[in-house]
Amino acid sequence: MQKPRESIYKRYVPTLIAESTDSPAYWFVFLTGTANLLLNRQDGLAAIPSAAKAEQLGFVPVRSLYIGSLEGSPCYAVEAPEGTQPTVGTDFHSLRTLYERMDEDLFHLAGRALQMLNWDATHRFCGRCGTALADARYEHAKICPSCGLSHYPRISPAVITAILKDGKILLAHSARFPNKMYGLIAGFTEAGETLEDCVRRETMEEVGISLKNIRYFGSQQWPFPNSLMIGFIAEYESGEITVDGEEIAEASWFGPDELPNIPPKVSIARKMIDWYAEEYGTPSQGTP
C-alpha cells in the first residue's frame, strides 16, 4: 500500500569488518548519554564528518563500532566523551530535530549508529551468569564465553494504525505531543501477541473502539530508543470514542480537508496521513 522508497542498501552495505582502516571514513558521532549527533555545517552527505581516524575530529572515542560502508566508504558509530566540544565548522544536534532537515537514508543510518552504541554500552556482561561478553565473529551479537548465551541488539516492534470511518481518519492528541499535534494510535507489541492483535488491543485501550479489515501499510525504524514502527490501515467496526486519559487526551474523526497539526514528513505517521489525504481528498481540478 505504501509507495516503496528506494532501499537504503543501494547506498549502504552493513558489513561486519572494514576492508581498510586507513581510508577516510564517515563518523556518526554521538555525545555520551545523549542522542546529540555531530554534523558539519553543510548539506547532504557532506554534513557527516569524514576522517581517517576519529581522533582527527578532536576527541578520543569512548567506543567506536564499525557499521558498514556508505557509498563505498567505511562508516563508524562513535561515542564522544562527555564535555567534548565541537571543532570549528561543526555542531552537535539532537537527532530528533533532524528528521525533517536530514536526508532520510542518513537519518536512518544515524539511528542505526545510535542504537548500536546504546546496545554496546548496555550489554557488557551476560544477563544470565554475569561474565564479560565477547563480540561475535560472524554477526552483530555478543557471546558469553562462559555459558554461551547470545545477546543481540534490542529491537522493540510497535504498531501504528490509521483508522478510517466513512471517509474520515481517527487522529489523537497526547499531552506529551508539542504544538497541539495530533497523530495515530500506536503502541508496543506485547509478548504472545500478533501485530494485528496489538492493533486491536491498543485501539481498544486508548480510544475504546473495535476494528475490522486490518491491513499492512509499511514500516520504519525509529531510534528513540530502539523501535521498529509497523504501520497498518484499519476500518472502524463498532464503539464510541472513549479516550483513556493517560496515553490519549483527545481523539476525533477528521476529514481530509480539516486535518489538525500533524507529525513531520519523515515519520511513518505523516506518510500514512498523507496517503489518507491523497486517497480521500477532493481531486484538484486542472486548467481546461
Side-chain angles (χ1 to χ4, degrees), residues 202-223:
E202 285 288 344
T203 302
M204 179 58 68
E205 288 178 356
E206 295 188 359
V207 291
I209 63 174
S210 298
L211 303 177
K212 62 182 180 179
N213 298 333
I214 299 169
R215 53 202 188 275
Y216 177 72
F217 176 87
S219 64
Q220 181 182 59
Q221 70 91 1
W222 196 244

Side-chain angles (χ1 to χ4, degrees), residues 102-123:
M102 200 174 188
D103 175 281
E104 189 167 356
D105 279 351
L106 295 181
F107 177 80
H108 290 316
L109 190 49
R112 177 185 177 91
L114 178 61
Q115 290 178 75
M116 294 299 291
L117 288 171
N118 288 338
W119 168 69
D120 188 71
T122 57
H123 288 74

Side-chain angles (χ1 to χ4, degrees), residues 164-182:
L164 308 180
K165 176 187 178 185
D166 299 329
K168 293 192 172 186
I169 188 170
L170 179 69
L171 297 178
H173 171 69
S174 169
R176 68 177 185 275
F177 289 171
N179 303 321
K180 197 62 175 177
M181 185 175 71
Y182 279 69

Side-chain angles (χ1 to χ4, degrees), residues 106-149:
L106 295 181
F107 177 80
H108 290 316
L109 190 49
R112 177 185 177 91
L114 178 61
Q115 290 178 75
M116 294 299 291
L117 288 171
N118 288 338
W119 168 69
D120 188 71
T122 57
H123 288 74
R124 297 171 57 200
F125 300 95
C126 179
R128 182 158 64 189
C129 71
T131 303
L133 296 173
D135 292 333
R137 294 180 60 189
Y138 302 111
E139 59 183 343
H140 285 300
K142 292 177 182 288
I143 305 295
C144 177
S146 178
C147 71
L149 183 65

